[in-house]
Each structure stands twice: as structure tokens, then as C-alpha cells.
Amino acid sequence: MTRLLHLSDLHFGAVEDRLLAPVLALARDLAPDAVVISGDLTQRARPDQFAAARAFVAQLPAPVLVVPGNHDMPLYNLALRLLAPFRRYSRAFGPELEPQLALPGAVIQGVNTADPLVWKAGRMRNTSRRRLARSFAEAASESWRIAVLHHAPVPASDGTPADMARPADALAALAAAGTDIVLSGHTHMPHSGFAETAAGTLFLQVGTAISTRRKTGANDFSLIELHPGRVTRRSWLALPGQGFAEGPAEHFRKETGEWQTDGAVPVPAAPPAP
Ligand SMILES: [Fe+2]
């Protein structure tokens, strides 16, 4: 079994300080094979916020795969936003905006969906699509193919439309690349599921792990357990003023190329012919 700790939307600069030590302690106790952070490490992409985010990430169990979010580009410094939107991010987390990580049984490919030309929506660049397809084509057949994006091309859990340009195209590109699982953030609302048009791609979204910018009334993060043919997501939730407590687990199986949730009522078998 390979286990991934999935955190998102840390928003250093708007952090619930009391949650920092508990998240780090749980991360150490859970001892995942890797940690994935799906963007928005900072609130306003300021150097001091990146320094705090970097110090936090350095305390997580290695390896850590990070991608940028829309909050990781300067908002008010337009020259920097347009000419070098990821300069500050790269100083903290390195020049690779779309890192890859290979683990036993899984290949994880980062996708940078942050777009400096718009306010907060994302997009999936053609270069990213090609890179994703190449990365997954080269992976061993039995490996889970996992893409990490800040923005997901599916509606949020409250029905808000995907905050991404041409979401149907992006969804099709993920499916065409053979993506089994997408790990994402952005909405600050945890979510899981798959689109009818792409039942081979499972979307696992978390809210904000440690920020005050909650949309659901709770902070949360997940541990994803990868088995051959099936995946379990365990989630931890912290209500305001409380520590993290483990919530219900979700179980998913992938059979004949399509995801199913365990516990779903199976379609009744056809009655035997008379
Ligand atoms: Fe965010």
C-alpha cells in the first residue's frame, strides 16, 4: 500500500496558528510515503508568507510535491504578476512548477493551473496537457496515475461551476492522458466523485488544512491509501476552536476502467430467462 497525505490551501498570511503543530504532529504520526500540497501556499504571494510556507513544508515528512495556486502569484504588483508571476514561488519551492514524483505503485504529476491573466480562475495549458500525457504514458501499467492541480475542472461540492477555463476540454485531456485520480483544492470545500463523461478519473478534493479562510466551517485534510484496484480516503476535520479528529472514510474501486464507490447499491442482475 502507498499512502499520500493531501493538504491544500495553506494560505500563509491567513493561517489558524493553533492548527500548525497538530497538522505537523499528525503528518509525522501518519508517516505517509509522500505529501501532496495542491496550491495556495500563501495568501498574497508575499516573500514573508513564502518564507513561512517553506519553513512549514520543511517540517513535513519528505518527499513533498507542491504546485502553485492562484494566490501564489502577486495580485497588486502587476509588473511582477505579468512578467514573472512565479518568481517568488520558485524562490521558495524551486523552479519546477510541475514536478513529478514516482513511488511504488503510483506516478504523481503536478499541473500548474494558476493563470496570471485572470483574477482567480485556472486553466490547463497545452504544454501541461502534453507533459501529463507523456508522464503517464511512460509509467508502469500497474501504477496509479495521479495528477495534482490547484483548480479542478468539475463543479464544487455546492454545485458552483468549475473555476477553470474550458473545463470540459481539461476534463477530456485528463481522461485522455489516462489520469486515474486528480488531487485538487481551490474551493476550500472537500469533495469526491467522478464525472459521468469521465468515469475513469476520480476527483479527490480537500478544503483548507490550516487557513482561517474556511468555506465549510471546518479545516480538513486527507490521507489517501492506494491499493491495487482500489483507493481509500481517510479525512481529518477540525471545527473552529477544536483539534483535528478523524472523520468517515470513503472507499472507491476501479473496475474495467470505471470508478465505483464501495457501498453503492449495485445494479440488480437481470432475472434469469424463463
Ligand atoms: Fe485557496
Side-chain angles (χ1 to χ4, degrees), residues 8-11 39-40 42 70-71 150 185-188 208 213:
S8 197
D9 296 80
L10 309 182
H11 286 270
D40 278 3
T42 66
N70 50 295
H71 277 260
H150 181 62
H186 184 60
T187 65
H188 296 201
T208 169
R213 295 169 59 91

Side-chain angles (χ1 to χ4, degrees), residues 31-52:
D33 297 286
V35 182
V36 168
I37 306 177
S38 47
D40 278 3
L41 287 98
T42 66
Q43 174 62 13
R44 281 288 167 250
R46 287 170 32 179
D48 60 318
Q49 294 171 354
F50 274 120

